[in-house]
Amino acid sequence: MKIYLDETVKDSELFRNKLEFEICKPEIFKYGIMVEEVPSYIVDSDFDYLQSKIPAIELLHSDFINVQERKIENLSNDDRKKKTISEIIGVAFGIKYTVELLNTNPNKFKKIGTPTNGKYLDYSLIVDNLEFELETKGTVSKYYNSELV
């Protein structure tokens, strides 16, 4: 599936480098695994720990994601599962695009903890001594469509 950026970023210098990207179903799980929490007792890197869990997340959720040439469908009928699938897809898209845009590696992403006040973003990474913060979008409202076009 090929994804194109919308008009909201057309004037941004940063986004001119990457106007489209492709994502396949296995990559949804490769990047979407970052939605998961890493237990505090884990001594491995967060990235390594989460990458070891890709087969599990794929087994649990693969039947509920239908990837077609021009759309991705969330096939779940359960509202909680539907939200989980939507979040996985949103995180996968955001991280995959950022990896390609900044020509970096997904192991540089760190989940941002809950702030003491105000809104926070989801992930941060440092590339060329610049810190980037990323907000991914999965579920964007209480009611959402099963088709992500």
Side-chain angles (χ1 to χ4, degrees):
M1 173 175 218
K2 194 175 276 193
I3 308 298
Y4 301 92
L5 297 185
D6 70 13
E7 294 293 312
T8 61
V9 296
K10 69 178 169 109
D11 296 328
S12 172
E13 187 68 34
L14 176 64
F15 293 103
R16 287 189 189 142
N17 299 331
K18 190 74 179 171
L19 298 177
E20 67 181 46
F21 73 100
E22 293 184 31
I23 193 164
C24 62
K25 194 170 184 178
E27 288 177 313
I28 289 172
F29 299 108
K30 174 184 176 181
Y31 296 104
I33 191 68
M34 296 295 285
V35 76
E36 295 296 325
E37 179 182 4
V38 177
S40 59
Y41 61 84
I42 297 297
V43 294
D44 295 338
S45 77
D46 289 359
F47 180 80
D48 291 339
Y49 172 82
L50 291 173
Q51 291 299 293
S52 75
K53 303 301 181 190
I54 291 172
I57 197 170
E58 189 167 5
L59 283 169
L60 282 172
H61 303 301
S62 185
D63 293 339
F64 297 100
I65 298 174
N66 182 24
V67 177
Q68 297 179 18
E69 185 177 338
R70 300 189 57 103
K71 69 180 177 179
I72 294 179
E73 291 179 290
N74 183 336
L75 302 174
S76 177
N77 293 315
D78 178 271
D79 61 334
R80 292 164 297 180
K81 181 75 156 184
K82 190 176 286 280
K83 181 177 180 183
T84 298
I85 297 297
S86 180
E87 290 294 329
I88 291 168
I89 293 168
V91 166
F93 276 47
I95 291 178
K96 166 79 189 252
Y97 176 72
T98 305
V99 163
E100 290 190 12
L101 177 70
L102 300 176
N103 193 28
T104 191
N105 192 304
N107 68 357
K108 292 187 177 186
F109 285 81
K110 301 287 182 220
K111 199 175 248 190
I112 297 173
T114 306
T116 54
N117 59 19
K119 183 173 178 359
Y120 68 99
L121 299 174
D122 296 327
Y123 302 93
S124 69
L125 71 153
I126 296 174
V127 177
D128 297 329
N129 293 324
L130 295 172
E131 183 176 13
F132 295 87
E133 292 184 334
L134 173 66
E135 170 70 20
T136 58
K137 288 294 181 197
T139 306
V140 294
S141 69
K142 186 175 178 183
Y143 305 99
Y144 44 87
N145 191 320
S146 294
E147 293 182 8
L148 303 172
V149 181

